[in-house]
Amino acid sequence: TFSDLFEGRKERYGMDWPGKKECLKILQQPSLATLKPYRDESVNFDTTENLFIEGDNLEVLKLLQKSYYGKVKMIYIDPPYNTGKEFIYPDHYAESLDTYLAYAGLINDKGKKFSTNTANEGRFHTKWLNMMHPRLYLARNLLREDGLIFISIDDNELSNLRKLCDEIFGEENFVASLIWNSEGHADNQYDVKINHEYIVIYSKNSNYLKLGYVVDKNTREDSNLWKGYAENSITKNGPGNPPSKVELPQGFPVRSGEVHLQSNQPDQEFYNQLRETGYITRKMSQDFNVTYPIRLNYMAAKEGMLLESCSVFSGWANVNKLKQFISNKFKPIIDEDGDELSFYLSENGVIYYKKTRKKARNILSVLKNLGTTEQMRSELERLNIEFRYPKPLELICYLIKIGLIEKEEIILDFFAGSCTTAHAVFELNKEDGGFRKFIMVQLPEPCPPESETFKAGFKTIADIGKARINRVINKIQQEEKPQANLDLGFKVLKLDKSNFKVWEPTPQITVNELLLKLEGHIPHIDPKASQEDILYELLLKSGYLPTAKIEKQQIAGKTVYSIGDGVLMICLESEITREFIEAVAATDPERFICLDHAFKGNDQLKANAMHAFSSRRSGGNQDVFRTI
């Protein structure tokens, strides 16, 4: 029976699909990868705060958790739309690193490869959800409390994306679903031609939601939004505006030099009807020929102010602000955004408000005239870059203005493609002298050998992104007066296996082999790893930004890397001395890391080192000194 079939099943509202449990498992598995620096492919490696990371974004997002947790103000992504064409994704989540390394040619393993998703797949939608869920979950962790995520999508997965984001970000944190009129060539395969896409916006925490000050470019030219101020009458009669009397004291501001107006108070029948309705109706105004506000006594003004107090009666908008203005002795009311609100009387005795805006906001849900894919493709071709479906630069600039309020915040794009997002950051910083920073993440997806892109010398999509950033930098530098303080650089990091070997026990291991492993006689650091490779992995593991300032110092004849003005000190020398330990300890770092084998088995020296560092911290903090 049906009752037997469903007996014992727990019912709850939510979204479920095949593979969701695997998604949740992968979130709990620590990454065994690292990010290795590539100076030769970077620009201004030592000074830039911009990042380009080449690798599988699932692994990269894991690696960024400690360094960037709660630090990113805005995320924009343009993920695969799942249109029935192929998109690349890892087949087995637990093998995502090995899958990537084989795919990128970093290891030789023919048994592991990235797979694709096509419309004839039986689990077409669930494969897309399996790909997106862990990435969005990890991305949320990186957002600040006032952070926002913008996701481009089309009709194929819009409904699933909304449900997925409701689950991960919370339905209460949905901000808007913008409709972008793409304005390009409509897709002719449908009876109804499609010329739009969506941009779904969620906040990390709606209690802290704050959008940028943006005025939609299609706002009419005569709008007050362009003037920097707004003014209007505050008289407003209707069911939601019960009338009340307001006393305008002597000295209240008047716009004209002189005002002489008699009382225009209606007869008692007006007030009788008002008691019945509770508000002033349009018919009452017509029947009694009343203009508002009603002056209850004579109104006289000279030299821009009332000569005597005057009582007025009406339904109001902003009446509490008016009373605050009066109690503040007619000084402007300044809100948290720095806007000033003041009130004045017109020559006809009407009360007006005037709000002077430092910044205006008018964000519409339908986006028009913000560039097209075709225009962006043509612009890239002028930079000698071929890319089929780039998002328009003007569109991304507009979105960044909505998402980034201050000029030094971080934006992350982990489906970077041709790096329109990085291009937009450069353009906006050039425009206003800002210090916005970007993190681009892109899989080195191969370009088809027969494509024009491949023939132009770009082997992967990641190569296209790096080339575009380079050429945008060169273009800005060639301008007549590039701003001196612009960060015209980017640091390239690439996903790779850890520099530290992970012990994986095997059933065949002997007791002696096990003891050797446990005693550390088998080297646990990859002999091919450079000091800089190890340094950057330690930065990530220690929670420092890979863009942190690193100063190379010589202390007691040894090379030491100082991070954060000496907060973290790292020495990767193969041998250290007591004099060196004492000299570094004297700088009083919060943490010092060195190689374990640098002590050459001298346990006494190691114990002295631990004491030298911990004794300088209150409570003898043992975490100051670490070996690897």
Side-chain angles (χ1 to χ4, degrees), residues 231-267:
E231 57 183 341
N232 210 338
S233 165
I234 70 166
T235 56
K236 188 175 182 180
N237 290 305
N241 305 88
S244 62
K245 183 175 78 170
V246 174
E247 183 79 16
L248 301 179
Q250 180 182 6
F252 191 87
V254 179
R255 183 168 61 183
S256 59
E258 230 175 288
V259 172
H260 297 281
L261 295 171
Q262 298 295 328
S263 169
N264 63 341
Q265 185 169 192
D267 60 36

Side-chain angles (χ1 to χ4, degrees), residues 91-160:
D91 240 348
H92 301 288
Y93 296 112
E95 299 175 347
S96 58
L97 176 59
D98 287 341
T99 300
Y100 166 75
L101 295 175
Y103 176 79
L106 297 174
I107 62 173
N108 183 17
D109 190 338
K110 296 179 181 179
K112 300 187 193 307
K113 62 184 180 65
F114 271 146
S115 185
T116 55
N117 194 37
T118 55
N120 59 5
E121 292 276 357
R123 293 167 61 187
F124 179 62
H125 291 290
T126 60
K127 284 191 173 183
W128 188 86
L129 288 166
N130 287 336
M131 184 271 295
M132 290 294 294
H133 182 276
R135 289 161 172 81
L136 289 177
Y137 191 98
L138 292 167
R140 182 186 180 278
N141 291 341
L142 302 181
L143 284 174
R144 291 177 3 183
E145 282 301 299
D146 61 347
L148 294 159
I149 185 168
F150 295 66
I151 308 171
S152 285
I153 201 68
D154 70 359
D155 284 307
N156 288 286
E157 296 292 353
L158 175 64
S159 61
N160 282 332

Side-chain angles (χ1 to χ4, degrees), residues 386-511:
E386 298 277 345
F387 194 77
R388 193 172 181 185
Y389 296 116
K391 281 291 184 289
L393 180 64
E394 192 172 358
L395 171 67
I396 304 304
C397 283
Y398 180 77
L399 296 179
I400 292 176
K401 287 179 181 179
I402 294 174
L404 297 186
I405 299 173
E406 304 299 332
K407 295 180 181 180
E408 68 278 354
E409 294 165 331
I410 300 172
I411 180 170
L412 165 66
D413 183 346
F414 53 90
F415 285 98
S418 68
C419 288
T420 299
T421 303
H423 191 164
V425 168
F426 284 132
E427 287 296 320
L428 292 175
N429 285 344
K430 183 181 73 170
E431 179 183 301
D432 60 17
F435 299 92
R436 303 169 187 85
K437 309 167 190 65
F438 63 74
I439 305 171
M440 300 293 105
V441 184
Q442 177 56 43
L443 186 77
E445 180 183 343
C447 299
E450 68 279 4
S451 67
E452 292 299 319
T453 307
F454 188 88
K455 294 174 184 176
F458 303 113
K459 294 182 180 179
T460 70
I461 301 299
D463 290 340
I464 293 173
K466 287 179 287 186
R468 180 176 184 179
I469 298 174
N470 256 309
R471 291 173 193 184
V472 170
I473 290 172
N474 291 336
K475 184 181 177 183
I476 294 174
Q477 289 174 333
Q478 290 167 9
E479 293 177 357
E480 289 186 12
K481 294 180 180 179
Q483 295 189 35
N485 61 348
L486 287 181
D487 182 355
L488 294 176
F490 67 107
K491 182 177 291 188
V492 175
L493 304 176
K494 295 186 182 182
L495 184 69
D496 208 331
K497 59 184 179 180
S498 172
N499 299 293
F500 305 103
K501 293 182 180 178
V502 178
W503 175 54
E504 296 179 358
T506 59
Q508 294 80 22
I509 193 169
T510 66
V511 173

Side-chain angles (χ1 to χ4, degrees), residues 590-608:
E590 289 184 9
R591 182 175 295 183
F592 172 68
I593 301 174
C594 65
L595 301 178
D596 189 76
H597 70 252
F599 289 96
K600 303 299 182 183
N602 188 337
D603 292 338
Q604 182 64 43
L605 179 59
K606 191 173 182 179
N608 289 341

Side-chain angles (χ1 to χ4, degrees), residues 322-419:
L322 171 63
K323 292 176 180 178
Q324 184 181 344
F325 175 74
I326 292 170
S327 65
N328 201 32
K329 297 181 180 179
F330 318 132
K331 294 178 182 178
I333 301 166
I334 301 174
D335 65 17
E336 59 182 11
D337 294 321
D339 297 341
E340 294 185 357
L341 179 66
S342 56
F343 297 84
Y344 65 87
L345 276 168
S346 73
E347 59 273 17
N348 298 319
V350 179
I351 304 174
Y352 280 78
Y353 78 86
K354 182 173 183 179
K355 187 171 185 178
T356 303
R357 298 190 187 96
K358 289 188 176 181
K359 300 172 183 176
R361 182 188 292 119
N362 185 39
I363 302 169
L364 304 183
S365 62
V366 178
L367 309 180
K368 298 180 180 178
N369 301 314
L370 288 172
T372 69
T373 295
E374 288 80 8
Q375 291 169 348
M376 191 72 255
R377 188 187 304 142
S378 298
E379 186 174 335
L380 289 183
E381 287 172 356
R382 289 193 289 273
L383 292 173
N384 296 316
I385 291 174
E386 298 277 345
F387 194 77
R388 193 172 181 185
Y389 296 116
K391 281 291 184 289
L393 180 64
E394 192 172 358
L395 171 67
I396 304 304
C397 283
Y398 180 77
L399 296 179
I400 292 176
K401 287 179 181 179
I402 294 174
L404 297 186
I405 299 173
E406 304 299 332
K407 295 180 181 180
E408 68 278 354
E409 294 165 331
I410 300 172
I411 180 170
L412 165 66
D413 183 346
F414 53 90
F415 285 98
S418 68
C419 288

